[in-house]
């Protein structure tokens, strides 16, 4: 039986690849996509989610829009310079015939969780605002999450949006603190494992050649590739969200250790930093499983092979 899966997302180039990866994976049954502000504005992330699902022939998957803004302080800036002003690397995907659920994401998510016949995996790959709102407004539903896989934070790799902070946590540090303090079984997939996991041009070429869906995914990635080359001088891209979905799809892909984590929610230079207590394994009920080791080559092959298969299935 496939594990029921919900993706909370701010597409976003790597979000788009993560959604396609989930659709290419028989281990999971994508039941709902909830959208959140982040890389770009909510209206755009919602439209992008609809269009990515339609690209893969899955406009049947419901989409519900969530938070337009962070919980307390407005996110200082979006990430259009990384993901493109419309969030998908300047690629205009075909509009979807589907429309979002009229209800707020937390209501739709809570309803799904309460009705689920087995524990649901929730992968949060944008700012965690919707998850914090779920915990506050529907705690009884949050308790029914079987596994919460969070893309965000950094134990020992510093930040990617400031010297201290990773983007998803930086975008809403108060939400991050709320989520990391819950008792929901949680895996934290941060920069420590995503930064070493680089998809290179050869990998992109493989799924680009496999069919139109792969070619479109490669076109969406191009801006990310260009940004990595000009900003970091690297060839290849770090698909943060796709690695988080790999862990959601194949539990145990990443080596984890239970750690206590707090978020710097002050307004200084460290805002959004995740302070991971690496002194000892934690027995605390609010500790999280922090991903500390990864077989990056295997993770990249997992992604490329599945995107190839998805592209071939949509010829
Ligand atoms: O730091 C990586 C995260 O920020 C990813 O979710 C990516 O989509 C960006 O939003
Ligand atoms: Ca994202």
């Amino acid at each position: 039986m496939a594990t029921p899966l919900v993706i909370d997302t701010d597409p976003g180039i790597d979000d788009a690849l993560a959604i396609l990866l989930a659709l290419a994976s028989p281990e999971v049954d994508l039941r709902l996509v909830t959208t959140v502000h982040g890389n770009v504005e909510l209206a755009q992330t919602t439209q992008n989610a609809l269009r990515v699902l339609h690209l893969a022939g899955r406009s049947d998957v419901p989409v519900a829009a969530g938070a337009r803004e962070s919980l307390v302080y407005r996110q200082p800036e979006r990430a259009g310079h990384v993901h493109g002003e419309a969030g998908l690397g300047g690629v205009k995907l075909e509009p979807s015939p589907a429309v979002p659920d009229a209800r707020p994401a937390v209501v739709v998510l809570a309803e799904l969780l309460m009705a689920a016949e087995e524990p649901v995996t929730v992968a949060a790959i944008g700012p965690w605002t919707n998850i914090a709102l779920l915990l506050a407004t529907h705690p009884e539903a949050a308790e029914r999450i079987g596994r919460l896989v969070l893309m965000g934070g950094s134990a020992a790799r510093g930040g990617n949006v400031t010297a201290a902070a990773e983007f998803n946590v930086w975008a809403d540090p108060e939400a991050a603190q709320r989520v990391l303090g819950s008792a929901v079984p949680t895996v934290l997939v941060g920069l420590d494992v995503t930064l070493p996991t680089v998809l290179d041009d050869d990998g992109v070429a493989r799924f680009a050649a496999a069919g139109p869906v792969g070619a479109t995914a490669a076109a969406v990635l191009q801006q990310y590739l260009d940004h990595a080359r000009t900003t970091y001088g690297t060839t290849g891209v770090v698909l943060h969200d796709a690695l988080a979905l790999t862990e959601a799809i194949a539990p145990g892909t990443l080596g984890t250790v239970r750690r206590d984590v707090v978020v710097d929610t002050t307004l200084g230079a460290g805002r959004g930093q995740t302070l991971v207590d690496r002194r000892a394994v934690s027995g605390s009920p609010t500790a999280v499983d922090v991903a500390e080791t990864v077989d990056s080559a295997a993770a990249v092959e997992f992604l490329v092979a599945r995107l190839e298969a998805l592209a071939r299935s949509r010829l």
Side-chain angles (χ1 to χ4, degrees), residues 52-131:
V52 170
L53 290 167
H54 180 55
L55 170 70
R58 293 301 311 277
S59 51
D60 59 293
V61 176
V63 173
R68 193 183 306 276
E69 288 292 351
S70 309
L71 291 186
V72 179
Y73 297 97
R74 290 177 67 91
Q75 179 179 323
E77 62 174 342
R78 300 299 183 189
H81 59 292
V82 176
H83 295 265
E85 287 314 310
L88 292 179
V91 175
K92 283 186 71 63
L93 299 185
E94 185 182 301
S96 168
V99 294
D101 191 306
R103 298 169 297 165
V106 286
V107 171
V108 180
L109 178 51
E111 180 184 79
L112 181 147
L113 290 168
M114 295 307 288
E117 69 286 359
E118 63 183 291
V120 176
T121 292
V122 176
I125 56 175
W128 306 335
T129 314
N130 288 341
I131 309 303

Side-chain angles (χ1 to χ4, degrees), residues 5 11-12 26 29 36 42 112 119 165-166 208 254 256 261 274-275 283 304 306:
L5 173 70
D29 174 15
V36 65
L42 177 69
L112 181 147
E166 176 281 324
L254 303 173
T256 63
V261 183
T274 46
L275 303 167
V304 171
R306 287 178 181 223

Side-chain angles (χ1 to χ4, degrees), residues 10 12-15 38-39 79 83 125-127 151-152 160 166-168 191 194 224 240-241:
D10 63 334
I13 292 173
D14 57 331
D15 303 69
N39 287 319
H83 295 265
I125 56 175
M151 194 282 130
N160 63 352
E166 176 281 324
F167 181 86
N168 286 339
L191 299 183
T194 64
Y224 226 37
H240 307 276
D241 295 339

Side-chain angles (χ1 to χ4, degrees), residues 180-299:
L180 290 169
S182 87
V184 174
T186 299
V187 181
L188 182 61
V189 181
L191 299 183
D192 312 89
V193 291
T194 64
L195 287 177
T197 305
V198 179
L199 170 65
D200 65 13
D201 292 340
D202 292 344
V204 176
R206 274 176 54 190
F207 57 76
V213 171
T216 303
V220 168
L221 265 179
Q222 194 51 53
Q223 170 146 347
Y224 226 37
L225 283 157
D226 297 343
H227 179 264
R229 191 172 294 114
T230 52
T231 307
Y232 305 112
T234 55
T235 57
V237 282
V238 174
L239 293 180
H240 307 276
D241 295 339
L243 186 61
L245 260 295
T246 300
E247 176 59 32
I249 294 160
T253 295
L254 303 173
T256 63
V257 180
R258 284 191 68 72
R259 305 282 194 198
D260 293 315
V261 183
V262 294
V263 179
D264 183 336
T265 56
T266 63
L267 299 175
R271 180 166 173 77
Q273 181 174 3
T274 46
L275 303 167
V276 178
D277 189 339
R278 293 150 53 98
R279 291 172 296 173
V281 175
S282 172
S284 158
T286 57
V288 296
D289 295 318
V290 177
E292 296 189 348
T293 55
V294 58
D295 178 343
S296 293

